[in-house]
Amino acid sequence: MSIPKEYIPHEIESKWKSAWNESIYYFDWNENKRPQYVIDTPPPYPTGNFHIGNSLNWCYIDFVARYKRMRGYNVMFPQGWDCHGLPTEVKVEEINGITKNQVPRAEFRRLCEELTSENIKKMRETMLELGFSTDWSNEFVTMDPSYYVKTQRSFVKMHEKDHIYQEEHPVNWCPRCETAIAFAEVEYESRYTNLNYLHFDKLKIATTRPELLAACVAVAINPEDKRYNDYIGKAIKVPVFGQEVKVISDDNVDPSFGTGVVMICTFGDKQDVRWWSEHNLPLRKAIDKNGYMTAIAGKYEGMTISECKAAIIGDLESKSLLYDQEHMEQNVGMCWRCKTPIEILSEKQWFVRINPDEILSTAEQIEWIPEHMKVRLQNWTGTMEWDWCISRQRIFATPIPVWYCRKCGQTMVAKEEWLPLDPTQNNPPVNCECGSNDFEAEEDVLDTWMDSSITPLHVSGWLTRDDTLLPTQLRPQGHDIIRTWAFYTILRSMSLTKIKPWDTILINGMVLGEDGHKMSKSAGNIISPDEVIANYGADSFRQWAAVGGTPGSDVMYRWKDVISASRFLQKMWSIYRFSMTHLENFDFDKNKRNLKELPLVDQWVLSRLNKVVISTTKSMDQYQFDEAFKQLRGFIWDVVADNYIELVKSRLYGEDIDDKLSAQYTLYTILNILIRMLAPFVPFISEEMYSRMGFETSVHLSEWPVGYKGDIDDDIEQQGELIKDIVASVRRYKSEAGIALNAPLKKIEIYATIPDIRDIAGATNSKVECMPGTPDFDYVPVEIKANMGVIGPKFRKKAGNIISKLNELDPKVAHEQISHGNLVIEVDGEEVELEPEALVIEKEVMSGGREVDVLDVKGIVIVIVK
RNA sequence: GGGCCCGUGGUCUAGCUGGUUAUGACAUCGCCUUUACACGGCGGGGAUCCUGCGUUCGAAUCGCAGCGGGCCCA
């Protein structure tokens, strides 16, 4: 079987993509021999584009999933799709040239489902290209009845526990989307606005929102503010509209802002809501759900907010009530989808009761990687001021299974066994307590987070199996949305099961473009994973994901990283090709060797290999993929390719059968272990190499190698390193002297005892001899240095002076002294005695006129006889 | 305004439980067709380890302050 010289990723990757049987990645629900490892894969929003940020996240997941399988876990790496939401509604309206109210609800929903299915298909394809070991038998789609029945049942269960309730309460409202939104959906942006100074009856106030004068319900001052003390408790008249409001005092009024007098409206901002509830103020709604002024705005009724603002300012000016304006910066809350400034309206909505303490204590029981990301959740949790508003005024979402009796007004929440259902399509199967069967359906639907915050429950078999697998072992997620998914999911999991959703959270960073900015459409620095695969293949892309940065840190996308990754594949392939041609007729099972029987160089490389296995395993266990892969790559390139192979070539090409078999045994062992460790990172090339070695099962069903501490021998390693260094040094010598690298030298004399010099002779193509004693040359000590590891702790404060004293010494004299015993020097008038271990003496060897060259390798003299 | 993270050759980065010679990749320059690989090998140049103060015999590493960047939030 000949192995092509060039590694062509496209051919190999597409071959395996179609050859692989995906069922090898299925989670086995019916076995209990292996420990479970369930991954709560984040369900992406099906935009149709599986972007590079997803890809980074999924590479991490796949590294873990493949690694854990090889370590003997029963792994579930499911894939879900978080379908519901506004962007799809908008897209459907765009594609079909309609608005959602022009077609029946069911029809509109069907159009959304269709588009979503197409998008899922596209994204699945990219995931397959990238070689993810997804368990497609556990795929879930939140818009399917089989999934949203769980969302609905969770609603009913939480309602029964009083964790969900309906109430009129201020909510964040997007007038463009005509829906309530949660705090998590509010984005803040700095904008400029005018601060308007108004005559307000006897007082002067400053406000950025004069259009809300009609909604003014009080005026507030700081109790410490002497200027206005007399007004507290008095009533004053609101200009233009004439309603009488009370002057109240509150510590939160900043006397230095504006005039120190603030008008309170229902509602200009969050602070208004706080004051409104603390001081039990009345409610005046001046803005309706569509963003128009209401009847209480009098002649301004029906205007938009900005029209009203302009009109009122004009009127105030003409009545000389506006006496000053100041340009100022202001942070405006906006809808994260459409960037329309949000309003705070009081509406009847459904809420989930939040329990910050429970969320915080649960977060403590979860391992966060990196640890500091937990703080973000804690900070966010601490700022929650009111409950989570879960009702939305949209169509493409999970329906709220509720009706209202038209006769008596009673709310009927569906029974779990009726679900799934859409109340706008089905009537309840029973009559109301009052006997009526005339119901009005709840048209509001659920926030999509109600779907996606139960994914760990869903993948664990909650409501479909007697036992759930909770907690799941891992949730991988980007750090941009910690506040939402972590908060909501912990909340739901605790409310519904009292079990934490995950053991571990693995956070990934954002992907930055080559310009250093977060990759985004608006920045125009987008690279798609498909583009990278088309050029260099999935294995190269995956290496970028592994070594681009530590999990949690942002990772810059760089073409050159992918290019060097593809070079590594070629290098590995070349090592493999070389090895395999020397292993053609080698039977591993018949030629097993005991470690100690092997030549020194083989023992050395195997000792190093065991160390790499142990440290790579440790890095994988800590999710440090960059460390793990760099160790592998470094070992393969530096140790195996540049040194080990060069050292054993002569044995592989030589006549000595036993020497040759030892090298073959060692090479085979190295390959077998390295290929399996590469498998989680570069699944395609690993499979190709593994299968060509004659294994019938997939490398992805093999076991992760075990490193044995007992096979690590520091003495052997030291001797092996010396051999490696001597050969490298001779290679360098030849290179610098212009001698062909395979040209023989007359003789190489090594002034040290090395038990096994056959590979030195082989690699240098020269006669090698270990010489007894010291060479017949003059040593010239050139420098005397302090060994700080010894001197520092021993002499403390004196160490500094000892160093400067040592620098003054003549290295020759010092060396003379130290060769007879300890070095005694005078420091600060005291005699200090230094042991040989405390010093390092650098020497040069003079060739003294002999017709030879002399090399120095770690203090050992090598004589080259030309 | 608050919180978290980060600042290391031209670029990106390792080290950061303190030990004097700071890792690697990419880029750059020079040499080499050598029984796997020129998508390779060997060698070279290139760093005020953001700044300042402090702790210490000794600081890239620990502390404080400042400057700069990123992210999350208000």
Side-chain angles (χ1 to χ4, degrees), chain A residues 582-624:
Chain A
H582 289 281
L583 291 172
E584 228 164 285
N585 300 310
F586 177 73
D587 185 332
F588 179 77
D589 293 323
K590 287 186 187 151
N591 289 288
K592 286 193 178 150
R593 289 284 195 278
N594 285 324
L595 188 63
K596 293 293 158 198
E597 293 168 5
L598 292 168
L600 179 55
V601 163
D602 295 335
Q603 288 191 49
W604 161 73
V605 78
L606 291 175
S607 178
R608 295 279 314 255
L609 179 67
N610 272 286
K611 266 192 184 163
V612 168
V613 173
I614 289 169
S615 62
T616 304
T617 304
K618 192 175 160 213
S619 299
M620 290 304 279
D621 283 335
Q622 296 168 340
Y623 310 95
Q624 300 301 305

Side-chain angles (χ1 to χ4, degrees), chain A residues 84-86 89 100 105 171-174 177-186 336-337 348-351 387-400 442-450 484 488:
Chain A
H84 293 134
L86 189 66
E89 291 192 6
K100 61 184 171 187
R105 287 178 74 98
V171 290
N172 296 307
W173 188 271
C174 173
C177 304
E178 296 174 31
T179 182
I181 58 177
F183 277 117
E185 296 174 298
V186 178
W336 73 334
R337 291 291 183 205
K348 203 164 191 187
Q349 301 287 348
W350 292 92
F351 292 90
D387 286 339
W388 172 22
C389 175
I390 54 167
S391 42
R392 296 287 182 277
Q393 292 67 40
R394 292 174 189 159
I395 292 173
F396 186 44
T398 298
I400 297 177
E442 170 64 89
E443 289 206 345
D444 283 4
V445 293
L446 290 170
D447 178 6
T448 193
W449 282 107
M450 284 292 282
T484 42
Y488 291 150

Side-chain angles (χ1 to χ4, degrees), chain A residues 202 229-236 245-248:
Chain A
K202 301 148 220 158
N229 271 349
D230 294 347
Y231 294 96
I232 296 175
K234 301 227 168 90
I236 65 167
V245 299
K246 255 205 324 204
V247 179
I248 61 168

Side-chain angles (χ1 to χ4, degrees), chain A residues 354-372:
Chain A
I354 61 171
N355 181 348
D357 292 340
E358 185 172 58
I359 288 167
L360 291 172
S361 66
T362 308
E364 285 299 332
Q365 295 160 34
I366 297 169
E367 180 191 24
W368 292 71
I369 297 168
E371 175 73 22
H372 66 83

